[in-house]
Amino acid sequence: MNGCVPESEQAWTVGTAPGIFPSVGHGIALFRRPLEFLNSLPARGDLVEIRLGPQRAWMVCHPELVHRMLRDTRTFDKGGPQYERLRALMGGGVVTCPHAEHRRQRRLLQPPFRPSGVAAQTEVMAEEAASLCRDWRTGQEVDVSAATLGLTTRLISRLLLSDSLAPAAADEVRHCLAAIVRGLFVRTVVPVDALFRIPTPANRRYRRAVERVRELIGAAVAERRRGAPRDDLLGLLLAAAEAGDDGAPVTDREVHDQLVSLLLTGAESPSMCLASTFSLLARHPEAERRLHAELDTVLAGRLPEADDLPRLVYTRAVLTETLRHSPPGWLFTRVTTREADLAGRRLPRGTTVLYSPYLLHHDPASFPEPDRFLPERWLEGEVDAGPRGALIPFAAGSRKCIGDLFSMAEMTVALATIAGRWRLRHPAGRIAPPRPGATLGPRSLTMICASRAHAPVGTAQHTVALAPGAAPAASGAAPAASGVEKTRRDGDNGVHHA
């Protein structure tokens, strides 16, 4: 960290870009070239001033400063333009609530996300993943983005609502998410409310998607109240609403807000990670070969079970490297609740502070050759939060994502199930880079599937070999702990933070 660098160099102001809409400031650069813009900032210091519309904001560019901020949730609370928009969508649930409310809400929601609760869901995860790819045919083009989002929507809705969200409703949620994540991103980087009150087609799509998700959740809750109690998160919330919670009763509004928050965040980010994983594997055949070899050895064609997860060491390394290379949750905001010192700069109360897992994950000081996809990074000994604590796609501190164990388990099971049966290849032609929205990942990824029973090993369309000097396959990787506990150690690996 630049502890000995003068304050004037630690806090560098990016001048407002000339041209039309000068009040938008760096929101335009973030919108048009977000990843390039982010990667340009660390060279300017550990704390960089930018402009989001008329607002002055600060980007934190060093992992130690980010961890300091994330562990001081009383001072750096959830807020800023991102969470103002998220609260309009999700209300005051665990993802968006202020510090004062978080501990009570998290304790209430924690049981299904504990290791035992996640392990109990493994069979459902495997069944859903197998169902997803059961009818694929060699040579068929598959919309991988839609397939993975459909899978994760079904899995999180079953955890939250059992079968109260019908298949058609779950599919409708998936369609609504596309409009919501696009709208959330532009509202974060260009926080000029007047622009979003104009009845443009995009603004109308966003508002309608938000309203429809609320309607679907409301209908599921109403249907459950008329039926028998169920052992899921909705049942937990309804029981708490009836019994009261330490003198603070759970209201109908909180029930609704928690379900919307967890459904949307629990569907979107894991689906983006899985789609990115299949895209990256298709471009790195040696990593794919090692993955297939492990799956053939550990599973031998059967569906994964909870006891298999700790043995899927390379499978987890592939997912961890995807979360580093293409973190679904790539940009977040906080707001100071009181005057604070950060990197030698005094920040007044109400200051917007940003941090980016993508920026930290692509800093060569933490991850040499950051643009290369190298699962082997995670096979050397016991790696916790990455070099210097730089791997944080699930955040850190008390507001680390409540669903980190569930997400890692479902992604591991889904990848093992699908890759155990199919190879996915990019069609010939240029592979478009993913364009960030509220999350980062491919949103219209079409790939060609080939049954592993018929495709020769090593054949691939449009694959890219590992560059010379790539790390060799690690031998004798350190054994993992139990599946869900190993996930906890890797847990600083997307999503909107709970």
Side-chain angles (χ1 to χ4, degrees):
M1 189 157 49
N2 297 343
C4 58
V5 176
E7 179 181 306
S8 61
E9 294 182 29
Q10 289 180 357
W12 177 76
T13 303
V14 185
T16 301
I20 59 172
F21 309 126
S23 66
V24 172
H26 301 103
I28 290 295
L30 261 176
F31 183 73
R32 290 179 176 169
R33 296 174 284 100
L35 304 183
E36 294 89 340
F37 178 76
L38 288 174
N39 282 337
S40 73
L41 298 180
R44 307 296 181 176
D46 294 338
L47 188 65
V48 180
E49 183 184 1
I50 63 174
R51 298 279 176 170
L52 297 179
Q55 298 183 18
R56 182 188 192 192
W58 297 87
M59 180 72 74
V60 185
C61 300
H62 193 282
E64 290 180 21
L65 291 178
V66 171
H67 275 268
R68 186 185 309 172
M69 178 180 67
L70 294 179
R71 287 188 164 88
D72 186 2
T73 58
R74 204 178 286 274
T75 302
F76 298 94
D77 205 354
K78 292 220 173 169
Q82 180 184 47
Y83 285 97
E84 290 168 9
R85 272 64 188 175
L86 284 172
R87 286 180 184 126
L89 167 63
M90 301 177 181
V94 70
V95 175
T96 56
C97 69
H99 168 81
E101 275 290 304
H102 179 253
R103 185 177 181 183
R104 178 191 68 83
Q105 291 193 22
R106 185 160 183 134
R107 289 178 64 186
L108 172 65
L109 301 173
Q110 193 69 58
F113 296 103
R114 289 178 180 141
S116 59
V118 172
Q121 293 291 317
T122 306
E123 183 178 351
V124 170
M125 295 171 182
E127 290 172 353
E128 288 283 3
S131 176
L132 172 73
C133 62
R134 183 170 292 128
D135 296 328
W136 291 357
R137 296 291 179 266
T138 294
Q140 176 185 348
E141 287 198 351
V142 175
D143 185 338
V144 176
S145 300
T148 58
L149 184 55
L151 172 64
T152 57
T153 301
R154 288 192 298 275
L155 288 174
I156 191 63
S157 67
R158 288 185 68 166
L159 180 74
L160 303 179
L161 302 158
S162 296
D163 56 0
S164 297
L165 196 65
D171 195 53
E172 196 171 353
V173 168
R174 177 176 64 83
H175 286 292
C176 289
L177 269 172
I180 288 171
V181 296
R182 178 69 172 171
L184 279 174
F185 175 48
V186 69
R187 283 161 173 78
T188 295
V189 300
V190 188
V192 181
D193 289 340
L195 295 176
F196 306 111
R197 290 195 289 267
I198 302 170
T200 64
N203 286 342
R204 288 197 298 267
R205 282 194 299 271
Y206 178 80
R207 286 194 291 267
R208 180 53 188 154
V210 171
E211 292 167 359
R212 187 58 184 147
V213 168
R214 289 173 176 162
E215 291 168 359
L216 291 167
I217 293 298
V221 173
E223 188 254 337
R224 175 64 63 83
R225 288 186 184 278
R226 294 190 296 267
R230 302 290 294 274
D231 185 17
D232 54 19
L233 192 130
L234 175 54
L236 192 69
L237 287 170
L238 293 178
E242 293 177 4
D245 180 30
D246 296 331
V250 176
T251 65
D252 289 348
R253 175 62 183 269
E254 182 177 345
V255 171
H256 184 274
D257 288 352
Q258 301 293 10
L259 292 173
V260 171
S261 298
L262 295 171
L263 178 64
L264 295 184
T265 58
E268 172 70 8
S269 291
S271 76
M272 288 292 98
C273 180
L274 282 169
S276 293
T277 299
F278 287 115
S279 180
L280 287 164
L281 285 170
R283 287 177 276 151
H284 296 84
E286 176 58 23
E288 184 187 58
R289 184 197 65 76
R290 290 199 65 187
L291 172 69
H292 288 161
E294 176 176 89
L295 297 178
D296 292 346
T297 299
V298 174
L299 301 178
R302 60 179 174 79
L303 294 180
E305 300 173 355
D307 291 343
D308 295 315
L309 299 187
R311 296 193 291 153
L312 296 175
V313 176
Y314 195 77
T315 307
R316 293 181 55 79
V318 166
L319 288 167
T320 302
E321 179 66 351
T322 302
L323 288 167
R324 184 205 64 81
H325 185 279
S326 302
W330 64 283
L331 182 66
F332 297 98
T333 64
R334 293 291 190 269
V335 66
T336 56
T337 60
R338 55 192 174 191
E339 192 175 77
D341 289 318
L342 197 64
R345 172 69 56 169
R346 187 166 293 277
L347 305 179
R349 182 178 182 272
T351 299
T352 296
V353 183
L354 299 90
Y355 75 97
S356 169
Y358 181 91
L359 183 157
L360 299 184
H361 296 180
H362 285 258
D363 183 352
S366 295
F367 301 101
E369 299 183 276
D371 292 332
R372 293 184 65 191
F373 179 70
L374 296 172
E376 290 74 18
R377 296 180 201 267
W378 308 103
L379 295 180
E380 296 298 330
E382 292 295 322
V383 179
D384 193 357
R388 304 192 301 164
L391 188 73
I392 57 163
F394 282 125
S398 64
R399 300 210 69 163
K400 184 178 176 184
C401 176
I402 194 173
D404 59 343
L405 290 181
F406 183 84
S407 293
M408 284 302 295
E410 71 174 322
M411 291 188 298
T412 303
V413 169
L415 178 59
T417 301
I418 297 170
R421 290 153 179 74
W422 297 96
R423 285 188 175 86
L424 296 176
R425 292 287 174 263
H426 290 288
R430 179 176 179 271
I431 303 170
R435 181 173 178 81
T439 52
L440 172 63
R443 301 190 180 282
S444 55
L445 176 65
T446 298
M447 302 185 77
I448 300 169
C449 57
S451 170
R452 289 191 56 217
H454 302 100
V457 173
T459 61
Q461 295 185 54
H462 211 296
T463 56
V464 178
L466 290 173
S475 61
S482 68
V484 288
E485 289 300 334
K486 180 64 166 62
T487 305
R488 175 62 69 189
R489 285 207 301 273
D490 292 343
D492 274 349
N493 298 335
V495 347
H496 298 285
H497 306 154

